[in-house]
Amino acid sequence: MPKEVLLPELAESVVEGEILKWLVGEGDVVAKDQPLVEVMTDKVTVELPSPFAGVLVKKLVNEGDVVPIETPIALIDESAEAAAAPEAAAAAAQAAPPEEAEDRGERLSLFKPDKTEAEVKNPFAGGAKKPAGPAVAERPRAGTNKYGRVLAVPAARQLARELGVDIAQVPGSGPNGRVRVEDVRAFAEQQAAPAAAAAGRPTVPYRTPAGYEELEERLPLRGLRRVIAQQMTASHLSAVRTLVVDEADVTELVALRQRLKPRAEAAGVKLSYLPFFFKATLQALRKFPMVNSSLDEAAGEIVYKKYYHLGLSVATDAGLVVPVIRDVDQKTVLELAAEINDKVARAREGKLSPDELSGSSFSITSVGNLGGLFTFPIINVPDAAILGVHTIQKRPVVRDDAIVAREMLYLSLSFDHRLVDGAEATLFLREVIERIEDPYWMLLGAV
Amino acid sequence: MHDLIVIGTGPGGYHAAIRAAQLGLKVAAVEAGAVGGVCLNVGCIPTKALLHAAETLEHAKKAAEFGLVYAEPERDLAKMGKWRDKIVKKLTGGVAGLLKGNGVELVQGFAKFTGPRELEVGGKKLEAKKIIVATGSEPAVLPGFEPDGEHVLTSTEMLEVERGVPERLLVIGGGVIGLEFASIYARLGSDVTVVEYTEQILPGSDPELVKLLARSLKKQGITIKTRTQASKYKKARGGLSVTLEPAGGGEAETVQVDRILLAVGRRPRSGGLGLEAAGVRTDERGFVPTNEHMETNVPGVYAIGDVARPPLLAHKAMKEGLVAAEHAAGRPAAFDQQIPSVVYTQPEFASVGMTEAEAAGRGLQVRVGRFPFTASGRALTLQQTEGVIKVLADAENDLLLGVHILGPGASDLIAEATLALEMAATASDLALTVHPHPTLAENLMEAAENLHKRAIHILNR
Ligand SMILES: Cc1cc2nc3c(=O)[nH]c(=O)nc-3n(C[C@H](O)[C@H](O)[C@H](O)COP(=O)(O)OP(=O)(O)OC[C@H]3O[C@@H](n4cnc5c(N)ncnc54)[C@H](O)[C@@H]3O)c2cc1C
């Protein structure tokens, strides 16, 4: 009898993974610990080793599927003959799917009538809870769209009635925004969820301009792009993002770094400005604990953190990732420099572990090498804020009534106004600036 | 005390009664006439029986084309009538059996409201927690043409072919019922004239297809006069002399006929029912307005079928019956479906969804696909190549908006189109679905292909 391979818990609090690529074909022999499948979770890709040796009889999930942990993803036949005769096993796999798989398929079948009940019953009704609160189905509806009628399949209409959902409010995920059974159920579940949970988000309908169908190409939203899209939407919808921009005269910092570069290099570390920004930020965060907090919406509590884990946005070929430098308060500038270099390099190679990509309390994004004066960074939720640091450039400024050229830097602080007030944010940013403007003073307080 | 009483056992009423009983309610159905209502007794079923009989005559004639020559058929109208009755009896007996089998108590008699929860039937009081009004409709009348059972007849009387086939028949009203009877009698040998007050027969239907249908009917010997009004008639030597006036005014003409069929529509049977006693409102035309659950302004009192609202179609009444019964039983149910319609002329005419005019009225850009039955192999083998299928889609997103079919098998083909509309399918969905060959149904696929200029069996211009 073939054994099921379950998708393991890939990291703490990771609940699902996307099947990126099967590394073994059906009917192939696999050794124990041989990489079986590439799975992507919360921004990293991992190769899952096979838990046992045998023949991969059947893949239960397809590439591109997003599956919850503990889901069976493959069947491996451990028996000696199977291992010895992969062709036979492959043939068997085609001829008859193993019993368990068949069973499960049946259990999942939406249309299978409940044999124990004689009355007519909507097979879709099970599963979703009826939302609390007054039913909305009473009022007659007309002219809901340009067709005068919601686009929905009949079973979705009926399910909506049964769940007390106004079908006109359900965002449709089908072609032309057609409401499907799953959409109704998801909407009902969202409504039934506690008010603290994210509210239903209307999907933006996409429509090809008539006549331009041939000039469009469609690719599935997959992999890192999908994670980024989800992450950004979550950030955009949850945080009340507000911006404050300021500038710093970093002439001194430029000189200091220039001076320290050879020493760092002697220690085998390439010294950038980032570790200095990290230190300055750390010191400012200590003065403004609100900026290093998070909102636990479900609990209705503000979480103040006495640790300083700073995320750093890194652009990679595959997309944006945010490795986290932990315990910045316990590391020297040189140590920070080394760690930042290492994490950035491994991020670009896609070699970070899920744990290295989570748990930030504040983030920094270094942008502007490509152009642009300053950005309005999106918060790495549930952080309360993110700092954007930009290109250091000589600009004319007024000093003692004379125009002089100084090394100038724009900084933008994007903060969640639910947690941090405008004045606080402005003062926090000043704290950072004062330190990078006077790095010697900053180093006085450095670990 | 019943949980539910249904007044009327037409398609609406018997559907409601059976569904309510299935859901565990204690149900009674009151019927003043025959179980099965208009549809089974004097509507859908007997007309289709006679249409089939009359068409068979036509088929026999056309068989000569492929070398089967029949002797001139003998017409036994009494036997035709018996056959019609046999079908009706079988079906009405079936409905009565279903009512009984489901535990519905059948009460014979005319029901009258005495309050929102009580009725009087033949001097007896009946009470129910909920009541469904399914009293249907009756022929509308036209002043000057009061049915007299001899010269001016209603559809019910015209079903009695035993009365004989008039040499010349005037049909007043170019709607569904008028055209179906015109077809029956034209085939049985009458010289038929149809007068229609509006611009076209089947008012509101796709004008392009209606024009083709009118041409077809003319070929079958039916004279059609649109924008014409029958204003009066008098008995004359050897028949009836009928005055016809152009609708817009002008020179009147006189036609000589032997019989007149009054088919100017039907009116809801809401009068004499004591609706006032229950506080149920009717509109100015006599229909009983309801919400989407088929509930009237009085909670617990429902109205379904012809008495509730147009279109006067049996399948609409049936669906409304199910909705009302389920809602009365405390189930979530609402009427929000598309209603297809069929005219059983030869060729048949069927449609569902919007017409081009309706789509334009909504400000929609419409793309139209057409496919003629002349290009259909199956139609050729059936000797029925008249007609066209039209598929309408939103030019912006290909969403199917309507399907209009004139041609053989239209009554069955429209069901696929209705499902497609319910599923919010696109014209591409229809085009991409494999249809068996050779069938009439594949022409629907081809019409959808033509919408994208990709039909195979015609040049897509
Ligand atoms: C000639 C003809 C052909 C037709 N062909 C078609 C067709 O092919 N397809 C189609 O879809 N439709 C067709 N129709 C229309 C169809 O028959 C009606 O839409 C349908 O019958 C309506 O059903 P209903 O249940 O509303 O009422 P009805 O069928 O009219 O039934 C109402 C019943 O209620 C009873 N009743 C009325 N008042 C009372 C009372 N106070 N107490 C007790 N009982 C009462 C009546 O006796 C009757 O039996 C046709 C109609 C006609 C006239």
Side-chain angles (χ1 to χ4, degrees):
Chain A
M1 205 69 251
K3 274 201 194 167
E4 286 180 344
V5 180
L6 303 180
L7 184 68
E9 193 173 337
L10 299 143
E12 214 190 350
S13 78
V14 167
V15 294
E16 59 179 25
E18 179 180 339
I19 307 301
L20 273 194
K21 193 161 189 253
W22 281 100
L23 304 171
V24 175
E26 279 184 3
D28 288 357
V29 179
V30 283
K32 186 170 184 305
D33 292 332
Q34 179 187 334
L36 190 63
V37 61
E38 230 175 77
V39 180
M40 171 151 117
T41 69
D42 206 10
K43 301 188 187 181
V44 278
T45 306
V46 283
E47 284 181 0
L48 287 185
S50 176
F52 15 77
V55 169
L56 178 70
V57 177
K58 192 156 184 59
K59 299 170 186 169
L60 301 175
V61 291
N62 295 319
E63 293 182 356
D65 288 356
V66 175
V67 293
I69 58 168
E70 298 298 324
T71 305
I73 56 168
L75 294 169
I76 291 184
D77 197 337
E78 273 191 306
S79 65
E81 317 94 87
E87 301 83 355
Q94 287 198 332
E99 270 169 49
E100 294 97 320
E102 212 169 65
D103 242 342
R104 186 172 310 101
E106 285 212 350
R107 242 180 293 131
L108 285 178
S109 169
L110 292 168
F111 290 91
K112 201 176 169 203
D114 187 347
K115 287 188 195 106
T116 58
E117 218 161 346
E119 63 167 317
V120 193
K121 201 180 149 196
N122 188 318
F124 299 102
K129 281 170 266 102
K130 218 179 164 110
V136 285
E138 290 305 317
R139 86 190 102 90
R141 52 182 97 84
T144 31
N145 60 14
K146 62 177 174 165
Y147 305 111
R149 192 164 188 257
V150 175
L151 299 182
V153 301
R157 287 178 201 282
Q158 182 56 23
L159 181 65
R161 285 192 282 272
E162 292 182 7
L163 298 176
V165 164
D166 180 0
I167 191 120
Q169 292 182 22
V170 179
S173 68
N176 294 327
R178 172 172 76 196
V179 177
R180 305 183 308 155
V181 166
E182 300 88 288
D183 300 332
V184 173
R185 193 176 288 129
F187 186 82
E189 263 162 15
Q190 236 169 39
Q191 283 198 333
R201 180 171 70 93
T203 52
V204 180
Y206 178 77
R207 163 166 299 180
T208 300
Y212 288 79
E213 292 78 5
E214 312 296 325
L215 292 176
E216 290 186 341
E217 190 191 351
R218 282 172 174 259
L219 291 175
L221 178 61
R222 288 247 173 101
L224 188 55
R225 195 32 61 197
R226 170 157 66 191
V227 175
I228 292 171
Q230 282 168 355
Q231 203 47 36
M232 295 301 162
T233 307
S235 174
H236 184 75
L237 290 179
S238 71
V240 179
R241 195 164 60 120
T242 318
L243 182 69
V244 52
V245 181
D246 211 334
E247 61 175 350
D249 179 345
V250 291
T251 312
E252 297 272 19
L253 179 63
V254 170
L256 176 63
R257 171 176 167 260
Q258 211 51 45
R259 194 170 130 191
L260 291 176
K261 246 169 111 172
R263 289 201 181 267
E265 226 158 284
V269 178
K270 197 164 162 275
L271 187 64
S272 70
Y273 292 106
L274 280 171
F276 297 96
F277 295 155
F278 270 56
K279 270 294 168 205
T281 301
L282 164 75
Q283 293 178 8
L285 285 175
R286 280 200 164 122
K287 282 196 121 174
F288 292 91
M290 217 39 168
V291 186
N292 198 43
S293 74
S294 282
L295 196 59
D296 184 345
E297 292 196 53
E301 292 170 342
I302 299 170
V303 186
Y304 290 91
K305 296 159 204 178
K306 300 207 173 75
Y307 52 82
Y308 302 91
H309 296 345
L310 267 53
L312 176 67
S313 318
V314 177
T316 70
D317 289 345
L320 176 80
V321 294
V322 187
V324 178
I325 319 294
R326 288 179 184 242
D327 303 310
V328 170
D329 55 337
Q330 292 164 32
K331 291 170 182 165
T332 65
V333 172
L334 191 65
E335 284 168 337
L336 284 176
E339 188 173 341
I340 289 169
N341 292 347
D342 168 57
K343 291 223 159 116
V344 168
R346 286 194 293 124
R348 298 219 160 107
E349 288 161 27
K351 290 213 171 125
L352 292 168
S353 74
D355 286 340
E356 290 175 296
L357 289 162
S358 58
S360 70
S361 60
F362 182 89
S363 303
I364 291 182
T365 175
S366 168
V367 281
N369 306 350
L370 303 174
L373 203 56
F374 65 86
T375 57
F376 188 179
I378 191 138
I379 300 165
N380 191 26
V381 284
D383 292 358
I386 183 168
L387 178 69
V389 293
H390 305 84
T391 318
I392 295 173
Q393 233 175 11
K394 272 206 172 130
R395 273 197 286 270
V397 292
V398 179
R399 295 282 181 267
D400 300 320
D401 280 337
I403 292 175
V404 292
R406 302 286 292 178
E407 297 283 356
M408 299 301 291
L409 164 71
Y410 284 117
L411 297 111
S412 55
L413 182 76
S414 174
F415 62 97
D416 186 346
H417 213 320
R418 293 175 308 168
L419 289 165
V420 183
D421 286 332
E424 224 174 356
T426 312
L427 292 175
F428 167 83
L429 190 53
R430 280 306 331 162
E431 286 287 340
V432 174
I433 289 167
E434 271 175 44
R435 283 167 172 78
I436 54 179
E437 287 192 335
D438 187 356
Y440 299 94
W441 171 54
M442 173 175 82
L443 291 179
L444 216 52
V447 172
Chain B
M1 173 88 138
H2 288 89
D3 293 323
L4 178 73
I5 294 179
V6 182
I7 309 176
T9 59
Y14 82 76
H15 272 70
I18 291 174
R19 175 54 53 85
Q22 284 172 341
L23 295 174
L25 300 195
K26 187 166 176 275
V27 185
V30 189
E31 175 56 62
V35 168
V38 169
C39 180
L40 269 66
N41 291 289
V42 293
C44 333
I45 298 301
T47 45
K48 266 79 264 175
L50 295 180
L51 276 161
H52 172 71
E55 263 163 39
T56 306
L57 267 175
E58 198 63 26
H59 290 316
K61 276 189 210 147
K62 285 195 335 198
E65 191 193 346
F66 45 82
L68 289 184
V69 182
Y70 291 89
E72 188 62 30
E74 270 176 49
R75 227 176 42 187
D76 181 340
L77 294 175
K79 198 153 181 198
M80 197 182 281
K82 277 212 187 87
W83 175 72
R84 173 206 60 209
D85 289 347
K86 203 172 83 187
I87 295 170
V88 168
K89 256 206 201 86
K90 190 164 169 77
L91 290 172
T92 53
V95 169
L98 286 171
L99 289 172
K100 194 163 172 216
N102 280 289
V104 176
E105 184 192 337
L106 184 62
V107 180
Q108 280 290 344
F110 188 90
K112 228 178 129 113
F113 278 92
T114 48
R117 297 283 178 273
E118 41 173 66
L119 300 168
E120 204 183 273
V121 183
K124 237 179 66 190
K125 267 214 164 354
L126 287 180
E127 274 184 282
K129 292 180 194 147
K130 297 195 170 153
I131 295 174
I132 296 178
V133 180
T135 51
S137 62
E138 58 202 5
V141 288
L142 186 65
F145 291 90
E146 286 74 18
D148 59 3
E150 193 190 343
H151 308 298
V152 181
L153 304 187
T154 63
S155 62
T156 302
E157 293 156 329
M158 283 300 285
L159 282 170
E160 296 163 26
V161 277
E162 302 91 317
R163 286 170 179 264
V165 174
E167 209 170 296
R168 296 160 301 178
L169 172 68
L170 177 72
V171 176
I172 306 180
V176 181
I177 294 174
L179 294 184
E180 289 187 3
F181 277 97
S183 299
I184 293 170
Y185 279 91
R187 284 203 205 105
L188 290 178
S190 294
D191 182 357
V192 179
T193 301
V194 176
V195 293
E196 163 60 43
Y197 183 76
T198 68
E199 303 264 306
Q200 64 168 43
I201 52 172
L202 302 175
S205 302
D206 183 281
E208 181 186 340
L209 296 190
V210 163
K211 216 177 266 167
L212 290 176
L213 174 61
R215 202 185 294 161
S216 247
L217 294 174
K218 272 177 205 154
K219 265 200 272 173
Q220 294 164 40
I222 299 171
T223 305
I224 296 173
K225 294 177 182 290
T226 53
R227 303 185 57 122
T228 302
Q229 183 178 14
S231 51
K232 58 179 190 258
Y233 80 97
K234 61 173 192 280
K235 273 165 252 171
R237 201 158 34 83
L240 309 167
S241 169
V242 188
T243 307
L244 304 181
E245 286 176 22
E251 195 100 340
E253 64 171 316
T254 315
V255 292
Q256 306 299 320
V257 297
D258 301 298
R259 199 174 285 167
I260 298 170
L261 164 63
L262 186 67
V264 291
R266 297 178 64 84
R267 59 177 185 206
R269 216 157 11 198
S270 57
L273 191 58
L275 286 174
E276 323 75 54
V280 174
R281 263 203 310 268
T282 54
D283 69 14
E284 63 287 349
R285 290 179 299 171
F287 289 110
V288 184
T290 72
N291 63 14
E292 57 184 336
H293 312 297
M294 307 315 298
E295 205 167 18
T296 66
N297 63 307
V298 177
V301 178
Y302 298 79
I304 59 170
D306 285 5
V307 76
R309 55 178 179 161
L312 308 189
L313 292 169
H315 42 280
K316 190 217 66 164
M318 293 171 176
K319 182 69 192 178
E320 289 177 345
L322 299 180
V323 168
E326 287 170 16
H327 194 264
R331 302 293 173 110
F335 193 107
D336 60 0
Q337 281 83 12
Q338 304 268 359
I339 310 166
S341 68
V342 178
V343 189
Y344 290 82
T345 43
Q346 182 72 271
E348 292 178 346
F349 183 83
S351 62
V352 66
M354 297 182 204
T355 59
E356 278 162 280
E358 283 162 352
R362 288 191 171 276
L364 299 169
Q365 283 277 345
V366 179
R367 260 205 243 178
V368 183
R370 289 182 180 77
F371 192 83
F373 282 94
T374 43
S376 156
R378 186 61 183 139
L380 278 165
T381 67
L382 293 170
Q383 293 181 295
Q384 297 177 53
T385 54
E386 280 179 315
V388 175
I389 298 184
K390 279 176 78 171
V391 170
L392 275 51
D394 189 331
E396 261 184 67
N397 56 13
D398 203 37
L399 184 79
L400 202 62
L401 298 176
V403 174
H404 306 274
I405 305 174
L406 178 72
S411 53
D412 285 315
L413 298 187
I414 206 67
E416 177 186 344
T418 308
L419 177 64
L421 273 184
E422 284 292 353
M423 297 299 290
T426 58
S428 301
D429 290 327
L430 276 183
L432 290 167
T433 300
V434 175
H435 287 64
H437 175 78
T439 56
L440 297 171
E442 67 185 326
N443 303 318
L444 186 57
M445 167 184 76
E446 281 281 75
E449 287 278 30
N450 172 254
L451 190 140
H452 304 117
K453 304 266 173 265
R454 284 203 298 248
I456 296 298
H457 297 93
I458 50 169
L459 296 174
N460 300 278
R461 298 207 169 106

